[in-house]
Amino acid sequence: MDMQKQPQPSQSQYPRQPRQPAPDEGCLVVAIRIPVRILAFLVVLPVRLLWDALAAVARFLWRYLLAPAGRALGLLLHVLLVVPLVWLYRHLLTPLGHALLWLHARVLTPIGRALVWLLTPVVEALAAAVVWAAGKIAWLAGKLAVGLYWTARVLLVLPALALWRWILAPVARVLGIVLREIGEALGHAWRAAGYVARAAGRVLGTLFRWIFLEPARWAYRTVLTPVGHVVRDLVLRPAAQAARAIGRAVGQARADVRRALFGEPRRPAPVDRREPGGRDTRTLDG
């Protein structure tokens, strides 16, 4: 499938709501936010420029290389894989499945019923023994589980709760604030870098047009075209006329030299076609 370029909604259609300050923001948040956003903008700007360039190259590769190759590969897989599998399913697996169904209905089902009738007493006896043993094992497992629970609670759970409450939770809150601010700073920097990249592209396009295209267009219209007309009218056209005149003169001189050396060329003798000439020419009518 060819990748179509979908129109992206402009930011004016979805105005961004100003972020409401969190109730737990204080001097620590403000002190972290400004340097983090500045650093993030400086880091993200070249990445955004590279990202836009790679995105343009990727779209070109997808449209003119990968999509045609994908369609050709899909057709090749259909011919080499799907068509043989369909043939195999229709002419081999379906008859084999019908044969297995007949074998299950006519052979395996009667044998299974006979085995069930023969093994039912044995299975019931084994089930009663297993149930009695399972009850004893469950009682022992319950006692062991209670002892392990209180041991783990005293040795692991209570120290872990104290560690989380007094050390990890405060550190996690601070890290959450820092990571949130870093994420928002990266988002602001990415959007700002996009604006800068688009502005830089427009500036470079304008500079290229005014530095190269417009001077070249002006030189072609103002200088090269009049000079070309002058060269054509004053040099090329007279040179062509002179060349043609010289060619005619050389041809005439060559003919005169040949005539002086060898004489006039002999004209072919008229052939008598035995047809009466003049007004008395006979026709088929008379």
Side-chain angles (χ1 to χ4, degrees), residues 65-136:
L65 180 62
L66 297 181
R71 288 192 293 268
L73 181 60
L75 180 60
L76 182 62
L77 290 177
H78 178 76
V79 173
L80 297 180
L81 187 61
V82 176
V83 173
L85 288 178
V86 171
W87 183 89
L88 182 65
Y89 174 79
R90 289 180 179 176
H91 297 86
L92 181 61
L93 296 180
T94 300
L96 182 61
H98 291 313
L100 291 176
L101 288 176
W102 180 87
L103 180 64
H104 176 269
R106 301 297 181 180
V107 179
L108 297 179
T109 299
I111 294 175
R113 290 175 180 174
L115 290 176
V116 168
W117 182 78
L118 291 174
L119 296 176
T120 298
V122 178
V123 172
E124 290 178 352
L126 291 175
V130 169
V131 168
W132 179 83
K136 296 299 182 180

Side-chain angles (χ1 to χ4, degrees), residues 145-285:
V146 171
L148 292 176
Y149 167 76
W150 286 107
T151 303
R153 182 177 178 83
V154 173
L155 296 179
L156 297 176
V157 176
L158 294 179
L161 288 175
L163 179 64
W164 169 258
R165 181 175 298 174
W166 301 106
I167 297 176
L168 296 180
V171 174
R173 284 194 293 269
V174 174
L175 288 178
I177 294 173
V178 173
L179 293 177
R180 185 186 65 192
E181 294 300 327
I182 290 174
E184 293 182 358
L186 289 175
H188 287 294
W190 185 264
R191 289 188 291 272
Y195 296 147
V196 173
R198 287 191 291 271
R202 289 194 293 268
V203 170
L204 290 177
T206 303
L207 290 177
F208 179 80
R209 186 174 69 251
W210 287 106
I211 292 175
F212 295 102
L213 296 181
E214 293 298 333
R217 187 181 301 173
W218 178 86
Y220 176 78
R221 291 179 178 177
T222 308
V223 179
L224 297 179
T225 300
V227 169
H229 292 169
V230 171
V231 170
R232 183 193 61 189
D233 296 336
L234 298 181
V235 177
L236 297 180
R237 187 174 294 170
Q241 294 176 356
R244 287 194 293 270
I246 292 172
R248 288 193 296 269
V250 169
Q252 185 65 34
R254 187 179 299 171
D256 294 340
V257 170
R258 185 183 297 110
R259 190 181 300 108
L261 293 176
F262 303 103
E264 289 289 339
R266 182 177 298 177
R267 297 181 179 179
V271 178
D272 186 7
R273 297 182 179 180
R274 299 182 181 275
E275 291 289 337
R279 299 176 62 182
D280 296 334
T281 303
R282 295 181 60 185
T283 61
L284 295 177
D285 296 333

